[in-house]
C-alpha cells in the first residue's frame, strides 16, 4: 500500500503523463517550429553558462525534452531525466527527429532518486527550468541530488517560478497560499495546464509544495554549492495569472499601474572543489 507521498507522486505522474500529448500539440511549445528552426538555448541561459561545447549536462525534470535537446544543439552531451514514461518516450522520439540521438539520452526516474538512477555519474552542468521545484516535497533532498550529480567546479543553472508568485491568488495581488515549505501539499484539481490546452485534463488532481528562496539557496549551500548569482525577475514566460500583460513574445509582466513583483528567479551556483 502506498504511503501518502507515494500516492501524491502517483497522482502527479498520471497528471504529467496526460499533459505530454496536450503540450506537444500546443502553440506554447511549437514542436514543429522548434524542429524546423533548430532552436538552441535561450540567450539569457547562454549568457549565464557560456560555451557548453563538449560538456556533460543533465536536465532534471526535463518533461519531453525540448530544453534538453536545445543544449545538445549548443554542443553539450545531454541527459534528460523525468518521472513520466510518456514524457521520456516522447523526448526520445523528438531527439530522433532532430537528429540529436547521438548527443542525448533520456532516463525515466524520480528526480529525488536521480543520483542512483544515473549510476552516480558526474556532470559539468545541472540544468533546471521553469515549473520544477513546486512538485517536490523537500527542497533539501533535491539539493542533495544536485550536489551529488555535479563534478567539483560544476555548475547549477536554475530558473523557476518565484515562491511569492506561487503563493498568490489567481485573482489578484492577494496572498492565498503559504510561502514556505510545508509537509502538507497544496492540492490542485484544475483541468487546465499552463499551455493553450486542446482539451481538459482527465487526471486533474495534482499535489504541489512551495519553497521559499531562502530555503532553496540555503539547501544548496548546505550541500556544498557556492551561489554565484541570485536574480529575481518581474516576468514569466506564460500568462500565469489572468491579470498579467504580454510585454514582448513570451514575456508576461504585471500591468504598469500595479506593483511590480517577482514572478520568476534564477540561481547560478558552483559545486565547491
Amino acid at each position: 500500500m502506498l504511503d501518502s507521498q507515494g500516492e501524491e507522486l502517483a497522482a502527479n505522474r498520471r497528471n504529467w503523463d496526460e499533459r505530454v500529448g496536450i503540450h506537444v500539440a500546443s502553440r506554447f511549445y511549437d514542436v514543429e517550429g522548434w524542429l524546423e528552426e533548430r532552436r538552441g538555448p535561450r540567450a539569457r541561459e547562454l549568457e549565464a553558462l557560456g560555451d557548453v561545447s563538449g560538456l556533460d549536462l543533465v536536465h532534471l525534470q526535463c518533461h519531453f525534452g525540448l530544453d534538453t535537446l536545445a543544449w545538445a544543439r549548443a554542443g553539450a552531451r545531454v541527459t534528460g531525466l523525468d518521472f513520466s514514461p510518456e514524457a521520456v518516450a516522447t523526448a526520445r522520439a523528438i531527439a530522433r527527429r532532430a537528429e540529436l540521438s547521438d548527443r542525448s539520452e533520456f532516463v525515466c526516474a524520480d528526480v529525488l532518486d536521480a543520483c542512483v538512477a544515473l549510476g552516480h555519474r558526474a556532470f559539468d552542468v545541472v540544468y533546471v527550468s521553469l515549473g520544477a521545484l513546486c512538485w517536490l516535497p523537500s527542497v533539501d533532498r533535491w539539493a542533495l541530488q544536485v550536489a551529488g550529480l555535479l563534478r567539483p567546479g560544476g555548475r547549477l543553472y536554475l530558473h523557476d517560478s518565484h515562491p511569492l508568485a506561487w503563493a498568490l491568488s489567481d485573482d489578484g495581488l492577494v496572498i492565498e497560499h503559504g510561502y514556505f515549505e510545508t509537509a502538507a501539499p497544496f492540492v490542485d484539481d484544475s483541468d487546465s495546464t499552463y499551455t493553450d490546452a486542446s482539451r481538459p485534463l482527465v487526471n486533474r488532481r495534482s499535489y504541489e509544495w512551495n519553497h521559499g528562496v531562502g530555503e532553496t539557496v540555503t539547501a544548496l549551500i548546505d550541500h556544498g554549492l557556492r551561489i554565484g548569482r541570485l536574480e529575481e525577475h518581474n516576468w514569466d514566460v506564460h500568462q500565469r495569472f489572468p491579470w498579467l500583460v504580454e510585454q514582448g513574445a513570451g514575456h508576461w509582466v504585471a500591468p504598469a499601474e500595479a506593483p511590480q513583483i517577482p514572478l520568476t528567479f534564477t540561481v547560478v551556483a558552483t559545486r565547491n572543489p
Side-chain angles (χ1 to χ4, degrees):
M1 184 175 181
L2 294 174
D3 60 20
S4 61
Q5 282 197 356
E7 293 171 354
E8 292 155 5
L9 177 63
N12 285 351
R13 185 182 292 112
R14 289 191 295 271
N15 181 278
W16 278 94
D17 279 345
E18 186 179 354
R19 290 188 194 210
V20 174
I22 294 172
H23 289 180
V24 168
S26 70
R27 294 186 304 276
F28 180 87
Y29 280 102
D30 185 23
V31 172
E32 296 304 318
W34 184 90
L35 286 163
E36 182 178 348
E37 296 170 19
R38 303 180 63 83
R39 297 172 195 161
R42 302 168 185 87
R44 64 177 181 274
E45 298 171 339
L46 288 170
E47 187 272 331
L49 290 177
D51 184 8
V52 297
S53 298
L55 299 185
D56 295 311
L57 179 148
V58 60
H59 180 186
L60 301 180
Q61 297 165 272
C62 68
H63 199 22
F64 59 89
L66 288 195
D67 285 348
T68 324
L69 293 168
W71 288 107
R73 281 191 175 140
R77 296 181 295 268
V78 301
T79 300
L81 182 140
D82 199 273
F83 75 157
S84 163
E86 290 291 332
V88 168
T90 301
R92 290 169 180 162
I94 292 174
R96 288 192 293 270
R97 293 187 64 194
E99 299 181 341
L100 293 169
S101 295
D102 61 331
R103 302 194 59 80
S104 64
E105 68 170 315
F106 291 91
V107 176
C108 187
D110 184 344
V111 66
L112 297 182
D113 297 321
C115 289
V116 171
L118 295 174
H120 297 283
R121 291 159 52 195
F123 295 84
D124 300 297
V125 178
V126 171
Y127 172 82
V128 182
S129 52
L130 279 165
L133 297 184
C134 67
W135 302 101
L136 308 178
S138 169
V139 75
D140 184 75
R141 289 176 59 196
W142 167 83
L144 176 64
Q145 297 299 309
V146 169
L149 291 168
L150 282 173
R151 296 186 173 111
R155 293 170 294 164
L156 164 71
Y157 178 90
L158 165 68
H159 178 223
D160 210 343
S161 300
H162 198 285
L164 176 59
W166 193 96
L168 290 179
S169 164
D170 286 345
D171 299 325
L173 293 171
V174 177
I175 300 295
E176 184 172 303
H177 312 293
Y179 178 89
F180 297 107
E181 182 179 301
T182 59
F186 166 72
V187 181
D188 185 7
D189 285 313
S190 171
D191 66 355
S192 63
T193 83
Y194 54 87
T195 70
D196 45 293
S198 58
R199 56 180 172 81
L201 288 168
V202 175
N203 294 290
R204 299 182 180 187
R205 167 113 349 151
S206 64
Y207 300 87
E208 300 177 43
W209 294 261
N210 204 9
H211 314 282
V213 169
E215 292 173 322
T216 300
V217 168
T218 299
L220 292 168
I221 293 170
D222 285 347
H223 290 290
L225 275 73
R226 182 178 71 255
I227 307 301
R229 177 184 296 184
L230 170 59
E231 294 181 278
E232 298 171 295
H233 312 292
N234 70 337
W235 51 267
D236 205 334
V237 300
H238 68 106
Q239 193 176 18
R240 173 166 182 162
F241 303 110
W243 42 270
L244 293 181
V245 296
E246 193 168 21
Q247 189 182 70
H251 204 86
W252 295 84
V253 300
E257 65 274 12
Q260 296 301 299
I261 60 167
L263 296 174
T264 63
F265 74 109
T266 296
V267 174
V268 181
T270 303
R271 184 184 168 188
N272 293 322

